[in-house]
Amino acid sequence: MTLDRLDDPDHPAYGMGQAAELLGVTAAFLRSLDTAGLVSPARSGGGHRRYSRNHLARVVALRELTDHGHTLAGATKILDLRADLADERARHAATTEERDRARRERDTALDERDTARRQRDSARHEPDQGRNDRPQG
């Protein structure tokens, strides 16, 4: 058995009783969330619900929002919008990094071009200077 799965927030490590105890909710509450399709835990070979840390975090967030007066449907919508926002922020960050990398590459290419032009212009003027320095006779 590898311990890497313990670091995986999606690994279904908790049974229903354990999850309910950790969260301070009833098993019936967890079942109702599953029935409503709001939290979909994995199933063991015997059909028992298995919760991951991400599942537990979603249950906590749903519970907090409902405790603050939101309906379960409203709380679900809020969580979905938060997830969409997080995805968009990640996409924006990746796009910004890609743009910045492209700008750095462009700037490097422009610097190389300018250096090459200076070297070319310098090389063109060197023979002219050599002719002007010779004594005319």
Side-chain angles (χ1 to χ4, degrees):
M1 177 176 157
T2 177
L3 294 178
D4 292 341
R5 292 185 299 177
L6 296 176
D7 293 330
D8 181 0
D10 290 315
H11 179 67
Y14 306 96
M16 183 185 297
Q18 193 177 19
E21 183 180 332
L22 285 169
L23 300 175
V25 299
T26 64
F29 179 70
L30 293 176
R31 275 193 296 278
S32 70
L33 294 178
D34 186 12
T35 301
L38 303 178
V39 176
S40 301
R43 298 288 180 149
S44 69
H48 298 283
R49 290 173 178 87
R50 303 292 297 171
Y51 294 86
S52 68
R53 287 193 327 248
N54 281 336
H55 290 126
L56 300 182
R58 184 168 174 85
V59 171
V60 167
L62 286 168
R63 183 65 188 254
E64 287 174 352
L65 288 167
T66 57
D67 286 350
H68 284 97
H70 295 281
T71 64
L72 205 47
T76 301
K77 187 65 175 171
I78 289 168
L79 293 182
D80 291 345
L81 289 170
R82 285 178 182 172
D84 290 348
L85 180 59
D87 290 346
E88 288 302 319
R89 284 181 172 158
R91 196 176 356 256
H92 179 264
T95 301
T96 299
E97 176 56 34
E98 184 178 337
R99 180 205 62 203
D100 292 346
R101 184 175 27 79
R103 285 179 174 171
R104 287 189 301 272
E105 290 174 3
R106 178 205 60 201
D107 292 345
T108 298
L110 290 173
D111 288 345
E112 290 172 356
R113 180 203 64 192
D114 292 344
T115 299
R117 284 181 175 172
R118 281 191 299 275
Q119 289 172 344
R120 179 200 64 202
D121 292 346
S122 177
R124 283 182 180 167
H125 291 5
E126 284 178 13
D128 293 342
Q129 289 176 353
R131 275 192 301 230
N132 293 339
D133 291 344
R134 282 190 227 142
Q136 296 192 2

